[in-house]
Amino acid sequence: MIVRSAKPADAPVLAVLATQLGYPTEPEEAEARLRDVTSRPENAVLVAEADGAVAGWIHVAGRHSLETQPFAEILALVVDEDRRGGGIGAELVEGAADWADRHGFRTLRVRSNVVRERTHAFYERLGFARTKSQVVFARAVDR
C-alpha cells in the first residue's frame, strides 16, 4: 500500500467513498472540490492505494487562529467499507501526521460526529485524546 496525494483522476472513487461516508457526491463534484481544496497550500488530500486501486482518502488542513497555537486538523477520513479494519485508515492518519509535521504543526486534531462510536475508538487507539464536546451551528449567508 502507498499513501500519495490525490489526483483529479481519482475523483470517481473519491466520490464513491464520500458517499459511503454519508455525503452523497457525484464524480464531477468530487473533481471540482478536489481541485479547489488542493489549490490551497494549507490543505492536502491523500489517498491510500492498495493493489492498484484507491481504498481510502483523508483531507488534512492547517488551522491558524488567534486563541490557539496553529494545528493541523483531519477534516475527513474514509476507507472503503469492504476494506475497513485492515490498517488503511491508520496509514492515512500517519500520512496526515507526516504532512502536519513537514508543515510545522505540532498538534493533529480531528472532530468526529457523536454517533460514530466505532470511529472514536479508532482514533483513541491511534493515540488521540478527547479534549472537548461541542455543538455545531450553521446558518446560510445568502440573503
Side-chain angles (χ1 to χ4, degrees):
M1 176 175 45
I2 63 167
V3 174
R4 62 168 173 80
S5 295
K7 303 178 289 196
D10 298 323
V13 71
L14 299 180
V16 168
L17 295 171
T19 300
Q20 286 182 9
L21 189 59
Y23 301 94
T25 304
E26 295 297 323
E28 302 78 25
E29 294 172 310
E31 184 174 354
R33 291 174 188 162
L34 179 65
R35 287 184 190 280
D36 177 51
V37 165
T38 58
S39 74
R40 302 166 194 275
E42 70 276 11
N43 287 271
V45 178
L46 307 173
V47 299
E49 191 176 301
D51 304 320
V54 172
W57 60 265
I58 192 167
H59 177 188
V60 60
R63 299 289 192 217
H64 296 266
S65 66
L66 186 61
E67 73 278 7
T68 65
Q69 291 294 322
F71 61 92
E73 184 172 20
I74 296 169
L75 300 180
L77 168 63
V78 60
V79 173
D80 186 282
E81 58 194 10
D82 294 330
R83 311 244 356 211
R84 292 180 187 157
I88 294 169
E91 288 292 324
L92 285 166
V93 169
E94 285 310 306
D98 289 344
W99 179 91
D101 186 47
R102 286 192 317 272
H103 288 82
F105 298 104
R106 298 293 152 243
T107 304
L108 179 60
R109 293 184 184 177
V110 63
R111 299 169 198 245
S112 181
N113 191 313
V114 67
V115 300
R116 297 184 190 270
E117 293 180 15
R118 183 175 176 208
T119 303
H120 303 166
F122 164 78
Y123 285 118
E124 288 171 336
R125 281 193 307 276
L126 295 179
F128 287 82
R130 295 177 191 227
T131 58
K132 71 177 180 179
S133 296
Q134 62 186 48
V135 175
V136 176
F137 298 90
R139 185 189 107 181
V141 293
D142 55 329
R143 296 175 191 218

